[in-house]
Amino acid sequence: MNYLNSTNGTQKIGEIIIVSPSNDDNRKFIQAICRQAVSVDHAVTYGEMEINENLSLYFYGIGYKRSQYNFAWELVAKKVLGYVVLFNWFDDVLFPETKEMIDFLALRVEAPIIIAGDVQDHPFPVGQRIFQPGITFSRQTKFMLCRLSERTSVKKIVISLLDALIDQMP
Amino acid sequence: MHEIVLIEQESEPAKRLIEAFENHRFNVSFFQDGLEAYQYCLRTPPRVILTDLDVPKLNGMQLFKRLKENPLLKEIPVIFLAKELEVEERIKSMSPGIDDYIYKPYIPEEVVARVDCIIQEVETIDQAMHDSKHGFAGNLAEMNLVDLIQTLDLGEKSGVIHLLHDDEKGLVYLDKGKVIDAHLDSFDSEGALTTMLTWLDGSFYVTLEELQRARVLNKSNRDILLLGTKLIQEWRQLAGQLPPFDSAVMASNGIDNNSLTPIEKRVLSVFQSPVRIKRGISLCKLDGLTSLKLIQKFLNNGWLVAAPTAGTENADGNEMMDRVKEIRESSHSLHTRIASFFKKRSQTDFESENPSQGDLKEHLADEKKNPSGRNHQSRLAHRIYLSRGDLMLIRQHILAE
């Protein structure tokens, strides 16, 4: 598996890391965008989107727990396009863990981060008027609500991440 | 009565839509060209604009652009009526600002419902913004009643603190910074205040206003704050000894009712069917600490036992929807919650503020002790290896899929 986002003339690869307390949610996210998600082991979910014969987008879903931080963290962190931090909007119990994860990423990485609150099948808590464009807190981070069960919603998250990258480029 | 502007080329579907709106007490101004509609909006700004994409003189997109450039009209919600393919190709790649889009052919009743929803959302946001200009709002987890009283006392402010905790709503009245009264259903003033001092989750908003209200509570703020601090400490200690508050418990069989006090009977009756501990505390209608102490006692005695999860979901079938309703109603606290993610903190602050956060703290501490040659205080540099063209290609591919 080629972790490097390099232009070696054969294959260019972009990587996005999805982080959430639930491997199931990682799988749902990746499945929504890639149509197929594969569990590499109990901690990592993987999905691949082929853009054309020379360009692919890889998704890695990992959990919050420390054991999963050992996933070549610093190597991947330098080359990854960005991160999506997923959490269940209605789960107050895991809210502090989500905050911890975001603090960790905000301290350590420079890549864009999209924080995505999954509202599941419930109505959006506040009008989509606020959240359609997302709320941008800094050049690096943006908050959005989403529904993991809706492909369009998950696509919006990835598009926002790409937009954050494109905006940074000359 | 809300004013709607409808811009639609086809008269027949427009007629049915107008009828549906008028049946729901909306007033509709109908246009078949975009320019005339825009000129009308300049004179009489409507509540909502519904527009077909393909209308003459000023098409839907051009109209939208003009509206957003006009400071008087830019806040008006705009809904596009469009054929599905048009939506996929054009609208979804647009910059944000569109409030909704409705596929044609549409069901008039559905359009009315969507418009109604948008108007309600806008009004909720406007109300929240209004409230925040005349006070402030937030989350009790970030700022509890003790903090709020302290803040208003410092500023010698008069007003009302509105608190929302699960489905309970309480009020605390202050005159020039001094607490004069409190209100919570089923409690007297003192009981209400004592109960609300232990509310560590939920939301609040404060309205600043001069009060014409007699003083009912005679405790000094100093005594209230001391009491509040003590109660919170006790609460946290007790809560730490109990299962998580979203655990469901229920009364076990074979309890000898004759050995129970009236209050104990009352609390146990709340748990006849499975109930989450957090919800049970609200249902007891006692001050939170007393409820918590009794729940602890019952758990220790085996009078309360863990309930099966499936049963709980049935018993608390409306709990999730109530929670959704609460979230909808407290939109102003949402920003506080989100903003809490982004408090600037240094690595040192993080470690000192979170001594109990084992895993992450350990991880960061380990890195400090065993550096792998990198500067662990600095952020990991980020380099984008793909070109702008590659990223645009990926973006296009995702949109098209």
Side-chain angles (χ1 to χ4, degrees), chain B residues 101-350:
Chain B
Y101 42 80
I102 296 173
Y103 296 141
K104 292 165 90 168
Y106 45 73
I107 300 168
E109 290 298 321
E110 192 196 330
V111 176
V112 172
R114 300 268 280 272
V115 166
D116 197 37
C117 215
I118 282 174
I119 290 174
Q120 276 186 45
E121 284 170 5
V122 169
E123 284 178 351
T124 304
I125 294 158
D126 288 347
Q127 182 62 45
M129 286 175 67
H130 175 269
D131 288 347
S132 69
K133 282 179 189 157
H134 294 80
F136 56 97
N139 192 309
L140 286 169
E142 299 285 319
M143 199 169 179
N144 57 43
L145 185 55
V146 169
D147 299 324
L148 289 166
I149 293 171
Q150 232 165 3
T151 304
L152 293 172
D153 189 12
L154 275 170
E156 295 183 12
K157 300 288 183 194
S158 301
V160 186
I161 304 172
H162 305 251
L163 297 115
L164 190 68
H165 173 74
D166 288 331
D167 59 357
E168 293 180 280
K169 288 181 188 171
L171 302 164
V172 177
Y173 300 89
L174 290 99
D175 183 34
K176 295 185 182 53
K178 306 302 170 204
V179 176
I180 59 170
D181 197 2
H183 172 80
L184 182 63
D185 280 348
S186 313
F187 292 92
D188 63 16
S189 295
E190 195 154 332
L193 184 66
T194 310
T195 301
M196 289 189 279
L197 282 168
T198 60
W199 285 1
L200 301 179
D201 63 350
S203 62
F204 69 86
Y205 66 94
V206 177
T207 52
L208 300 174
E209 54 191 290
E210 289 306 312
L211 295 180
Q212 306 294 333
R213 198 175 182 95
R215 184 170 191 143
V216 172
L217 287 168
N218 288 309
K219 267 195 165 70
S220 69
N221 273 15
R222 185 175 170 274
D223 289 342
I224 291 171
L225 295 174
L226 279 170
L227 173 66
T229 310
K230 180 171 167 276
L231 289 173
I232 290 171
Q233 208 174 359
E234 265 189 75
W235 175 278
R236 284 185 170 142
Q237 228 167 350
L238 259 176
Q241 294 164 16
L242 291 175
F245 278 19
D246 65 348
S247 311
V249 294
M250 63 186 286
S252 61
N253 298 324
I255 299 170
D256 178 15
N257 276 341
N258 296 328
S259 65
L260 302 176
T261 65
I263 285 186
E264 285 174 344
K265 278 186 200 170
R266 181 168 140 192
V267 170
L268 266 181
S269 70
V270 164
F271 294 97
Q272 286 309 309
S273 52
V275 173
R276 292 187 209 280
I277 294 176
K278 186 180 176 186
R279 181 104 177 100
I281 293 167
S282 296
L283 291 171
C284 288
K285 297 293 178 198
L286 296 170
D287 75 85
L289 208 50
T290 305
S291 305
L292 206 58
K293 284 177 182 167
L294 285 170
I295 290 170
Q296 186 195 36
K297 177 182 170 182
F298 297 158
L299 281 167
N300 290 342
N301 289 352
W303 293 350
L304 281 180
V305 294
T309 319
T312 309
E313 295 304 326
N314 289 336
D316 279 1
N318 287 326
E319 189 181 285
M320 185 58 84
M321 291 317 295
D322 287 345
R323 205 162 155 192
V324 170
K325 191 181 163 195
E326 176 193 308
I327 290 167
R328 282 192 90 105
E329 284 170 0
S330 63
S331 61
H332 45 272
S333 72
L334 196 66
H335 291 277
T336 314
R337 187 180 181 186
I338 297 163
S340 78
F341 275 129
F342 298 98
K343 277 186 188 169
K344 293 277 180 202
R345 33 176 32 181
S346 65
Q347 196 162 317
T348 325
D349 287 346
F350 180 89

Side-chain angles (χ1 to χ4, degrees), chain A:
Chain A
M1 191 182 287
N2 179 12
Y3 286 115
L4 298 175
N5 295 342
S6 59
T7 55
N8 59 11
T10 53
Q11 181 81 24
K12 287 185 276 185
I13 298 165
E15 294 167 352
I16 293 177
I17 294 186
I18 318 298
V19 190
S20 86
S22 157
N23 287 329
D24 202 42
D25 282 352
N26 287 339
R27 172 178 273 279
K28 278 185 198 161
F29 186 100
I30 293 172
Q31 218 153 14
I33 194 95
C34 299
R35 308 265 191 212
Q36 200 184 359
V38 174
S39 288
V40 175
D41 57 32
H42 68 278
V44 179
T45 310
Y46 166 72
E48 190 177 319
M49 177 186 272
E50 190 181 299
I51 311 300
N52 58 37
E53 57 186 18
N54 295 320
L55 180 62
S56 293
L57 190 61
Y58 291 174
F59 292 86
Y60 299 103
I62 63 174
Y64 282 179
K65 292 192 181 144
R66 184 176 179 253
S67 57
Q68 285 137 352
Y69 293 164
N70 292 331
F71 174 73
W73 192 253
E74 290 185 4
L75 177 64
V76 175
K78 278 192 195 162
K79 297 175 176 64
V80 75
L81 290 177
Y83 301 85
V84 176
V85 180
L86 276 182
F87 69 104
N88 179 342
W89 178 255
F90 294 110
D91 191 339
D92 281 349
V93 173
L94 285 173
F95 196 76
E97 266 188 68
T98 304
K99 190 163 178 319
E100 231 180 82
M101 189 67 228
I102 291 160
D103 285 340
F104 175 78
L105 286 175
L107 277 176
R108 298 304 307 281
V109 303
E110 289 183 346
I113 303 166
I114 305 289
I115 303 161
D118 175 29
V119 299
Q120 301 176 319
D121 295 327
H122 302 291
F124 277 86
V126 178
Q128 290 193 58
R129 200 158 185 258
I130 291 182
F131 287 109
Q132 240 175 353
I135 295 180
T136 303
F137 284 95
S138 68
R139 213 160 157 247
Q140 186 200 12
T141 47
K142 197 171 186 176
F143 177 89
M144 300 176 75
L145 290 179
C146 70
R147 277 205 188 91
L148 289 186
S149 55
E150 278 180 14
R151 191 153 195 263
T152 332
S153 189
V154 172
K155 275 163 65 169
K156 270 187 195 161
I157 305 283
V158 180
I159 297 284
S160 292
L161 190 69
L162 293 169
D163 286 344
L165 283 163
I166 292 166
D167 285 346
Q168 285 176 33
M169 299 177 105

Side-chain angles (χ1 to χ4, degrees), chain B residues 4-65:
Chain B
I4 311 277
V5 157
L6 171 63
I7 310 149
E8 163 74 276
Q9 268 229 82
E10 298 168 55
S11 335
E12 266 314 306
K15 264 190 213 162
R16 290 195 294 273
L17 194 50
I18 292 167
E19 203 181 302
F21 273 117
E22 286 174 353
N23 288 341
H24 286 82
R25 299 171 68 182
F26 287 92
N27 191 28
V28 184
S29 302
F30 172 58
F31 302 92
Q32 284 180 294
D33 84 66
L35 186 59
E36 200 186 336
Y38 177 68
Q39 284 162 350
Y40 175 83
C41 291
L42 285 171
R43 297 189 302 272
T44 318
R47 202 75 185 82
V48 173
I49 297 170
L50 275 105
T51 177
D52 195 350
L53 269 180
D54 289 319
V55 283
K57 293 191 186 168
L58 200 67
N59 68 34
M61 304 278 275
Q62 290 166 335
L63 171 66
F64 175 77
K65 199 162 175 275

